[in-house]
């Protein structure tokens, strides 16, 4: 049975039809990991366990009995005694964690270079970064080391690496998917989500992991729609395009997204120009709030109950802890944290108003395509700038999905993001699915996989 | 030695003067007045089934170390808190029992500090929007204000063993209610009474063991002494409900005495501290702001850390817990579920049963005892055999004349038996009266001069002669008859 390039749902069908067994599928992917992970460094650990169909999981999801480091040396020897809700739900739905994927340490970064276990390489050009922080998951799917993977976003950590690695990456609404068992980064932003090679796979996985969790007080009690079957609806939508999201975007990226807009029109959707608050405000809000939350969330890593001592924290985490602690300090709280919360409220209001007029908003996912490894050090606050187009949705907590929409002259993937209203994941997925059916993402995903053949 | 007096100036306050001896060498005090300013922080562990933010049992007592834990209360990576609804509701009950305003919107905040028994590096507490604020408790006409009642989580415990320090997280995450008063106390007696009343209320609400020895109720007075200069006489302010503390600046320092586990120790700690502060103030100095510990051995206090070392807690709203909002219906249902509180019960016992105030107070200190008393009364409804039966029942209970191990029905029988009029042998009575009158001529004289109370003494004497086998009313009647002649 030839498995190469098959989507998760295709593999599932083959298993159901008894064309292949799930352990055979897992062993197939373990072989691919053995073959290519040395070059890509997408996986930090591989799980030799057969069960259901394999899925890669970012290393910040606690997996019972399986080392979970969040790519940070502080947690080098940490083996969780409990299971995150997301992996628990995957396991209960016949999916098996094939390995834990590399990431920026503590998810602090947009390149996977801050991993204490070395950077992941972009499968499209191994001298380039895959983006981050879910770079390992995006690279694993892009190079077909796993048919699908789980990532997590604080602001852009699913969409941006999905964009740079040329795959589908969905950040759900905050509260749609439980955060229980996910090593916390910015607690008021964190969202687990799927990284896949098809929109159908994204819809399928979201359906498994979404929904109320009694262990996460911020998880939403809203019923979970059948995302997969709603893809067939081919709804006609009003697509908003905001000028503010095209400032300082690379010309090739801009051209690819503009071409995508024409395709949406051709598909019968109405395109409407809208005005949104400049994403630069989201950068300020995000920078303040995320660091405040980070400084608090990392306080538990004292080495007393588990993990190494605080001496193992690397530079990026220390920087964030100090900045965050500063903004929460007596006398500064109002000027930073409180003010940022107020602006956050304005951003939320702005989105809610716009979604009275349009069903979705589209923009480039990232202003540029994949950078060379090492280039990031030139930019302080690199992540914030790289994620500028991702941060508004993260700050507002709305869902957004990245889909490939072409390649640039270096042959690197370009990503388009679709942002939607709260809990309207099915709308985003529907539009993404129509685009996929129409264009097959211009062959981007297929081309990415073809670079990593079986033999 | 010179005596400096601090006067309890509560409008309805007792007249008692609290005296402190100050070395004579101290500077001139030309009617300088020193008034203690005392506030309280009280921590009460709730006895909910589960901990504040996880499913572990809240009953950690005497369990093997770290056996009562889970990822949440151990602060594992990725673990999240989910607030315990019962704990929130019980905190509201405490707030309402202390006459607080209940919040319709309340939030949890993170309070950051590092200590090995604090697994997350922060404690989930309430800072900006506590569950209840602005309450008070009235005691003997004095009003002591309660600033806030909020909910937080308890920490683990350090166990020092030889050179090692071990941490037991069994207690980590147990719901802990913090009650903070305004600095409305000026003497340790009032503090003790307040704490006893609070303890009784908590027991009535049935929300905590409030067992000091187990640490489920912990007391922290903060103490300072105000210097009132001549000419500025706050004593003249006689508004009964507005505290003079609101009109005067607080002293420029305060000393906290941490984690005391008995009402008497609180009183001793306060007395020790006030005396210590006075000695310093008399020298023209200001005591340093610090945290001290109580030393049981000699009822003193010992410096633990000075305020310079205290932390900036970097409070911010916990993003893991959505704000709690309560409907008006929910709030009024909670208020409606409160039991009759001790003060109300005392008043009712006085009004309804004609009990003496002191007895009514004592009977209502324990909800079980008060309930027992009422149960007894329902069993003898309509009975007129014994005069003033409620008071006699109360006496019997309080003096333990009859064992409480009896069921209420048996108990009532015993009390009635004890107090019902005795059959009186009139011949013996006549003889006894004559004999007593003969032996107590001086009393008879006094009676005849108009000191009629003396008759009770004579009744006692006759009763003794009769070995108790007589109805005192008949004895009195008989005596009165003979004396008139
Ligand atoms: Zn627990």
């Amino acid at each position: 049975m030839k498995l190469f390039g098959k989507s998760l749902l295709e593999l599932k069908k083959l298993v159901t039809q008894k064309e292949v067994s799930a352990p055979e599928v897992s062993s197939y992917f373990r072989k691919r990991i053995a073959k290519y992970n040395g070059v890509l460094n997408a996986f930090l650990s591989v799980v030799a366990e057969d069960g259901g169909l394999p899925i890669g999981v970012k290393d910040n999801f606690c997996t019972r009995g399986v080392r979970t480091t969040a790519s940070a040396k502080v947690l080098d020897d940490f083996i969780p005694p409990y299971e995150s809700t997301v992996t628990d739900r995957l396991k209960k739905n016949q999916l098996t964690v094939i390995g834990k994927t590399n990431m920026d340490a503590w998810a602090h970064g947009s390149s996977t270079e801050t991993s204490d276990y070395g950077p992941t390489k972009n499968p499209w050009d191994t001298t380039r970064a895959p983006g981050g922080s879910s770079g390992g998951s995006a690279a694993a799917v892009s190079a077909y080391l796993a048919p699908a993977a789980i990532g997590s976003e604080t602001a852009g950590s699913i969409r941006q690496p999905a964009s740079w690695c040329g795959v589908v990456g969905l950040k759900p609404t905050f509260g749609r998917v439980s955060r229980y068992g996910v090593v916390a980064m910015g607690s008021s932003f964190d969202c687990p989500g799927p990284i896949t090679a098809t929109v159908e796979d994204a819809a399928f996985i979201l359906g498994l992991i979404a929904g109320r969790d009694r262990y996460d007080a911020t998880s939403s009690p809203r019923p979970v729609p059948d995302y997969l079957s709603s893809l067939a609806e081919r709804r006609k939508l009003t697509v908003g395009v905001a000028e503010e999201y095209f400032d300082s975007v690379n010309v090739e990226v801009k051209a690819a997204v503009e071409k995508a807009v024409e395709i949406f029109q051709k598909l019968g959707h109405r395109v409407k120009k809208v005005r949104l608050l400049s994403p630069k405000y989201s950068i300020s809000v995000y920078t303040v709030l995320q660091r405040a939350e980070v400084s608090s969330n990392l306080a538990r890593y004292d080495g007393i109950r588990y993990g190494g001592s605080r001496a193992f924290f690397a530079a990026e985490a220390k920087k964030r802890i100090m900045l965050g602690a500063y903004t929460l300090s007596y006398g500064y709280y109002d000027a930073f944290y409180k003010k940022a919360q107020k602006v956050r409220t304005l951003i939320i209001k702005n989105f809610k108003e716009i979604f009275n007029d349009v069903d979705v908003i589209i923009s480039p996912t990232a202003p540029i395509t994949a950078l060379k490894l090492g280039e990031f050090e030139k930019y302080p606050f690199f992540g914030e700038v790289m994620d500028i187009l991702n941060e508004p949705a993260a700050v507002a907590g709305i869902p957004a999905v990245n889909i490939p929409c072409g390649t640039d002259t270096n042959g690197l993937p370009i990503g388009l993001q679709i942002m939607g209203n709260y809990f309207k994941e099915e709308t985003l997925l529907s539009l993404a699915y129509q685009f996929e059916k129409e264009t097959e993402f211009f062959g981007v995903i297929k081309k990415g996989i073809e670079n990593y053949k079986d033999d | 030695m010179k005596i400096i007096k601090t006067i309890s100036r509560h409008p309805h306050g007792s007249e008692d003067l609290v005296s402190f001896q100050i070395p004579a060498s101290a500077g001139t005090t030309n009617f300088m007045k020193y008034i203690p300013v005392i506030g309280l922080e009280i921590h009460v562990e709730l006895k909910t089934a589960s901990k504040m933010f996880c499913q572990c049992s809240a009953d950690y007592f005497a369990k093997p170390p770290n056996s009562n834990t889970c990822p949440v209360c151990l602060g594992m990576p990725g673990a999240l808190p989910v607030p315990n609804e019962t704990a929130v509701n019980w905190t509201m009950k405490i707030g309402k029992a202390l006459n607080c305003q209940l919040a319709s919107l309340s939030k949890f905040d993170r309070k950051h500090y590092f200590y090995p028994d604090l697994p997350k590096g922060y404690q989930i507490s309430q800072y900006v929007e506590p569950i209840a604020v602005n309450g008070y408790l009235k005691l003997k006409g004095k009003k002591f204000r309660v600033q806030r009642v909020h909910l937080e989580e308890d920490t683990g415990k350090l166990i020092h063993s030889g050179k090692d320090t071990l941490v037991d997280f069994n207690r980590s995450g147990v719901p802990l209610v913090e009650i903070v008063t305004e600095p409305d106390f000026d003497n340790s007696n009032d503090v003790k009474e307040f704490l006893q009343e609070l303890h009784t209320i908590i027991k009535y609400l049935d929300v905590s063991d409030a067992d000091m020895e187990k640490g489920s109720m912990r007391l922290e007075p903060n103490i300072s002494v105000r210097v009132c200069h001549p000419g500025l006489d706050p004593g003249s302010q006689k508004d009964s409900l507005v505290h003079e503390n609101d009109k005067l600046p607080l002293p420029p320092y305060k000393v906290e005495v941490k984690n005391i586990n008995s009402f008497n120790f609180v009183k001793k700690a306060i007395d020790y501290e006030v005396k210590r502060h006075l000695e310093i103030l008399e020298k023209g100095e200001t005591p340093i702001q610090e945290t001290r510990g109580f030393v049981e051995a000699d009822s003193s206090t010992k410096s633990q850390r000075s305020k310079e070392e205290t932390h900036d807690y970097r409070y911010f709203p916990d993003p893991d817990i959505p704000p709690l909002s309560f409907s008006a219906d929910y709030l009024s249902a909670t208020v409606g579920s409160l039991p009759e509180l001790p003060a109300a019960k005392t008043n009712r016992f006085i009004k309804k049963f004609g009990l003496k105030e002191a007895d009514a107070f004592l009977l209502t200190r324990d909800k079980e005892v008060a309930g027992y008393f009422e149960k007894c009364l329902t069993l003898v409804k309509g009975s007129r055999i014994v005069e003033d039966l409620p008071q006699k029942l109360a006496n019997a209970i309080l003096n333990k004349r009859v064992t409480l191990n009896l069921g209420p029905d048996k108990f009532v029988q015993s009390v009635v038996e004890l107090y019902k009029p005795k059959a009186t042998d009139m011949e013996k009575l006549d003889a006894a009266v004559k004999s007593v009158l003969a032996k107590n001529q001086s009393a008879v004289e006094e009676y005849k001069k108009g000191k009629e109370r003396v008759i009770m003494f004579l009744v006692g004497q006759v009763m003794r002669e009769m070995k108790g086998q007589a109805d005192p009313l008949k004895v009195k009647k008989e005596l009165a008859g003979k004396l008139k002649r």
Side-chain angles (χ1 to χ4, degrees):
Chain A
M1 183 80 243
K2 199 168 151 34
L3 302 177
F4 184 74
K6 298 266 188 281
S7 75
L8 184 65
L9 282 170
E10 285 166 345
L11 292 167
K12 185 169 177 266
K13 198 172 168 194
L14 292 175
V15 170
T16 313
Q17 292 169 344
K18 302 221 167 18
E19 304 271 347
V20 65
S21 74
E24 278 167 351
V25 176
S26 286
S27 122
Y28 168 77
F29 280 98
R30 274 200 293 273
K31 272 184 212 144
R32 288 188 56 82
I33 292 169
K35 184 170 183 178
Y36 290 116
N37 198 51
V39 181
L40 297 174
N41 196 27
F43 283 94
L44 294 181
S45 53
V46 179
V47 183
E49 180 194 316
D50 285 330
L53 284 168
I55 186 164
V57 172
K58 193 177 178 180
D59 203 31
N60 58 347
F61 286 78
C62 285
T63 39
R64 187 188 288 117
V66 176
R67 180 175 175 247
T68 299
T69 67
S71 289
K73 273 279 195 289
V74 175
L75 291 178
D76 192 51
D77 62 356
F78 179 60
I79 295 173
Y82 80 111
E83 193 76 45
S84 75
T85 296
V86 165
T87 50
D88 184 54
R89 287 181 179 176
L90 293 175
K91 288 177 179 183
K92 285 181 176 144
N93 286 282
Q94 290 75 51
L95 289 170
T96 299
V97 178
I98 191 170
K100 304 294 289 292
T101 61
N102 199 7
M103 55 187 280
D104 284 290
W106 306 109
H108 297 167
S110 300
S111 67
T112 316
E113 283 179 295
T114 69
S115 167
D116 289 346
Y117 301 96
T120 295
K121 313 287 170 52
N122 189 318
W124 289 74
D125 174 352
T126 53
T127 66
R128 291 179 187 270
S133 63
S134 311
S137 286
V141 174
S142 171
Y144 204 56
L145 304 190
I150 295 293
S152 72
E153 238 203 65
T154 308
S157 282
I158 288 174
R159 288 169 284 162
Q160 185 256 10
S163 166
W164 282 13
C165 291
V167 291
V168 176
L170 172 69
K171 171 209 125 56
T173 309
F174 179 82
R176 179 72 292 182
V177 178
S178 168
R179 294 178 294 121
Y180 186 69
V182 185
V183 177
M185 206 271 249
S187 309
S188 70
F189 303 89
D190 292 350
C191 295
I195 295 177
T196 58
T198 67
V199 175
E200 280 182 322
D201 280 0
F204 169 64
I205 293 170
L206 179 64
L208 303 183
I209 62 178
R212 177 74 174 161
D213 176 16
R214 61 193 286 246
Y215 297 112
D216 178 357
T218 62
S219 66
S220 170
R222 278 167 183 261
V224 178
D226 185 343
Y227 298 113
L228 197 51
S229 45
S230 71
L231 290 181
E233 285 173 23
R234 300 190 74 89
R235 292 168 52 200
K236 295 285 174 271
L237 303 167
T238 306
V239 177
V241 180
E243 236 171 65
E244 294 79 5
Y245 284 65
F246 290 82
D247 290 346
S248 64
V249 168
N250 168 284
V251 285
E252 288 188 77
V253 173
K254 198 173 169 183
V257 174
E258 279 164 358
K259 201 173 113 204
V261 171
E262 286 168 24
I263 290 162
F264 288 130
Q265 273 171 321
K266 193 183 134 200
L267 287 168
H269 303 291
R270 197 170 135 247
V271 173
K272 189 176 172 185
K273 281 206 163 154
V274 292
R275 296 299 306 270
L276 277 170
L277 281 177
S278 165
K280 71 182 182 190
Y281 298 115
S282 293
I283 296 188
S284 306
V285 168
Y286 176 70
T287 305
V288 170
L289 298 182
Q290 177 252 102
R291 275 157 182 73
E293 291 176 8
V294 162
S295 74
S296 175
N297 286 334
L298 294 185
R300 68 184 59 193
Y301 301 103
D302 53 18
I304 291 175
R305 287 145 293 130
Y306 52 79
S309 86
R310 290 183 280 192
F312 288 96
F313 274 115
E316 182 65 26
K318 288 193 224 174
K319 204 161 73 184
R320 293 189 188 211
I321 291 169
M322 284 189 279
L323 285 168
Y326 176 78
T327 59
L328 290 175
S329 299
Y330 187 78
Y332 295 97
Y333 177 83
D334 284 357
F336 292 104
Y337 187 89
K338 212 167 173 186
K339 196 169 183 184
Q341 284 290 31
K342 285 180 182 164
V343 180
R344 186 179 203 174
T345 305
L346 293 177
I347 292 166
I348 290 169
K349 195 168 153 258
N350 183 232
F351 273 116
K352 282 186 173 166
E353 282 165 7
I354 294 296
F355 285 121
N356 287 331
D357 295 341
V358 298
D359 295 304
V360 296
I361 298 158
I362 60 165
S363 82
T365 302
I368 52 171
T369 54
L371 277 177
K372 292 268 188 191
L373 288 163
E375 274 190 277
F376 305 86
E377 284 166 16
K378 296 177 197 162
Y379 309 90
F381 295 100
F382 166 78
E384 283 67 26
V385 177
M386 203 44 52
D387 293 339
I388 179 168
L389 303 174
N390 303 149
E391 277 159 16
V395 166
I398 56 172
V401 63
N402 171 78
I403 50 173
C405 68
T407 48
D408 69 3
T409 44
N410 290 323
L412 298 169
I414 297 169
L416 157 90
Q417 75 167 330
I418 309 168
M419 294 174 267
N421 206 348
Y422 295 91
F423 298 99
K424 292 288 183 198
E425 282 81 359
E426 69 269 33
T427 310
L428 309 186
L429 290 168
S430 165
L431 190 64
Y433 186 65
Q434 292 176 46
F435 188 82
E436 181 186 24
K437 291 290 118 185
E438 176 70 18
T439 65
E440 286 191 340
F441 297 134
F442 304 103
V444 171
I445 291 175
K446 196 158 178 260
K447 183 160 179 264
I449 292 171
E450 295 288 345
N451 289 332
Y452 294 85
K453 293 200 184 308
D454 278 345
D455 299 302
Chain B
M1 296 289 268
K2 179 162 41 182
I3 307 286
I4 292 170
K5 288 178 171 168
T6 63
I7 303 163
S8 171
R9 288 164 304 87
H10 259 289
H12 305 297
S14 54
E15 295 299 305
D16 55 77
L17 302 176
V18 187
S19 306
F20 298 96
Q21 298 207 313
I22 301 296
S25 60
T28 159
T29 57
N30 189 8
F31 298 108
M32 198 98 96
K33 276 184 192 158
Y34 295 96
I35 299 152
V37 178
I38 305 157
L40 299 170
E41 266 180 37
I42 303 113
H43 285 96
V44 179
E45 272 180 355
L46 298 181
K47 57 171 185 182
T48 44
S50 57
K51 289 185 180 180
M52 186 58 226
F53 298 111
C54 62
Q55 307 294 309
C56 295
S57 169
D59 180 13
Y60 61 89
F61 197 70
K63 289 189 177 162
N66 296 309
S67 63
N68 186 42
T69 57
C70 74
V72 176
C73 56
L74 284 175
M76 285 278 172
L80 297 171
V82 178
N84 180 332
E85 272 185 54
T86 307
V88 171
N89 187 265
W90 288 5
T91 307
M92 283 184 172
K93 287 188 182 185
I94 294 175
K96 194 64 208 171
L98 299 175
N99 303 294
C100 289
Q101 289 161 240
L102 301 183
S104 55
L105 187 87
S106 185
K107 275 185 192 160
F108 285 100
D109 297 292
R110 293 183 180 182
K111 176 183 180 178
H112 300 85
Y113 64 93
F114 174 78
Y115 208 67
D117 66 9
L118 186 68
K120 297 186 293 297
Y122 58 84
Q123 179 189 32
I124 304 177
S125 182
Q126 297 195 292
Y127 183 54
V128 187
E129 291 170 276
I131 287 173
V133 293
N134 293 338
Y136 62 87
L137 204 52
K138 269 188 189 167
L139 290 172
K140 294 193 196 150
K142 297 184 198 177
K143 184 173 182 176
F144 302 101
R145 291 170 303 166
V146 173
Q147 191 189 88
R148 57 193 281 137
V149 177
H150 75 239
L151 185 53
E152 57 191 30
E153 54 178 343
D154 212 341
T155 61
K157 264 184 183 167
L158 295 186
I159 301 160
H160 302 281
S161 124
K163 279 185 179 169
D164 293 327
T165 297
L166 306 169
V167 203
D168 176 8
F169 290 102
N170 282 351
R171 193 180 70 176
S172 168
V174 167
L176 194 62
V177 171
E178 181 174 321
I179 300 158
V180 183
T181 76
E182 295 289 351
D184 285 353
F185 301 88
D186 60 11
N187 69 78
S188 58
N189 290 328
D190 284 354
V191 168
K192 192 177 165 189
E193 275 180 41
F194 178 95
L195 290 172
Q196 284 170 331
E197 182 71 11
L198 177 65
H199 183 257
T200 308
I201 290 172
I202 304 274
K203 297 288 280 183
Y204 263 60
L205 296 174
D206 200 23
V207 295
S208 170
D209 290 335
D211 184 330
M212 314 266 208
E213 302 220 322
K214 286 186 191 170
S216 53
M217 185 167 179
R218 312 198 275 268
L219 317 166
E220 290 170 18
N222 54 74
I223 305 143
S224 50
V225 173
R226 171 181 289 139
V227 182
C228 295
H229 293 280
L232 193 143
D233 180 12
S236 62
Q237 291 158 351
K238 291 276 181 195
D239 183 341
S240 68
L241 293 182
V242 179
H243 259 270
E244 53 267 38
N245 281 338
D246 284 351
K247 298 178 183 171
L248 291 173
L250 287 170
Y253 74 97
K254 115 184 138 175
V255 172
E256 283 176 45
V257 187
K258 285 282 181 198
N259 288 330
I260 309 182
N261 65 356
S262 104
F263 301 136
N264 278 327
F265 291 165
V266 171
K267 182 174 158 46
K268 284 176 178 170
I270 292 172
D271 290 343
Y272 179 86
E273 276 300 300
V274 169
K275 186 165 176 280
R276 192 178 69 82
H277 298 192
L278 282 170
E279 283 166 8
I280 295 167
L281 290 165
E282 270 294 296
K283 285 188 255 173
E285 294 165 10
T286 305
I288 53 166
Q289 174 134 335
E290 62 182 341
T291 299
R292 298 176 74 91
F294 182 68
V295 183
E296 283 182 39
D298 61 352
S299 297
S300 68
T301 67
K302 193 176 80 186
S303 182
Q304 284 181 339
R305 61 182 155 90
S306 66
K307 243 354 185 200
E308 295 91 86
E309 294 164 46
T310 57
H311 304 84
D312 175 351
Y313 292 120
R314 305 194 308 278
Y315 284 104
F316 80 104
D318 192 329
D320 290 332
I321 307 172
L324 311 170
S325 70
F326 309 106
S327 67
D329 285 351
Y330 179 83
L331 291 176
S332 59
T334 303
V335 172
S337 71
L338 285 187
E340 183 184 34
L341 294 172
K345 208 183 271 293
T346 306
N347 284 332
R348 185 166 61 81
F349 281 12
I350 295 169
K351 288 210 178 90
K352 188 170 169 193
F353 305 124
L355 295 190
K356 287 186 204 144
E357 186 176 345
D359 293 339
F361 179 81
L362 288 173
L363 262 190
T364 52
R365 292 311 90 191
D366 183 331
K367 193 162 76 168
E368 302 302 317
V369 173
Y372 188 90
F373 169 75
E374 290 210 76
K375 178 82 189 159
C376 287
L377 281 178
T378 60
L379 294 172
V380 291
K381 244 178 197 165
S383 166
R384 289 269 179 267
I385 316 164
V386 176
E387 209 182 348
D388 202 7
L389 182 65
Q391 182 65 53
K392 294 212 166 72
L393 267 174
N395 291 346
I397 291 171
L398 294 171
N399 303 331
K400 302 198 170 59
R401 297 263 326 245
V402 178
T403 171
L404 289 181
N405 293 336
L406 293 175
D409 47 344
K410 291 254 172 62
F411 185 85
V412 169
Q413 275 176 26
S414 313
V415 173
V416 168
E417 205 52 49
L418 192 65
Y419 287 104
K420 85 173 177 202
K422 301 282 186 302
T424 310
D425 181 331
M426 291 310 285
E427 263 176 51
K428 276 189 184 166
L429 177 62
D430 191 52
V433 167
K434 278 179 185 155
S435 152
V436 165
L437 289 179
K439 279 184 213 159
N440 294 282
Q441 276 305 313
S442 59
V444 173
E445 293 296 309
E446 280 184 57
Y447 182 85
K448 287 186 173 164
K449 279 180 197 155
K451 249 185 134 181
E452 297 196 351
R453 271 190 308 160
V454 169
I455 198 164
M456 289 319 290
F457 166 74
L458 295 170
V459 169
Q461 294 301 308
V462 174
M463 287 302 286
R464 190 191 279 179
E465 199 113 332
M466 299 285 289
K467 296 198 170 62
Q469 295 305 305
D471 176 358
L473 285 175
K474 279 193 180 142
V475 173
K476 194 178 168 193
K477 203 173 151 200
E478 202 60 26
L479 271 167
K482 290 244 165 38
L483 283 165
K484 278 215 178 95
R485 269 178 244 149

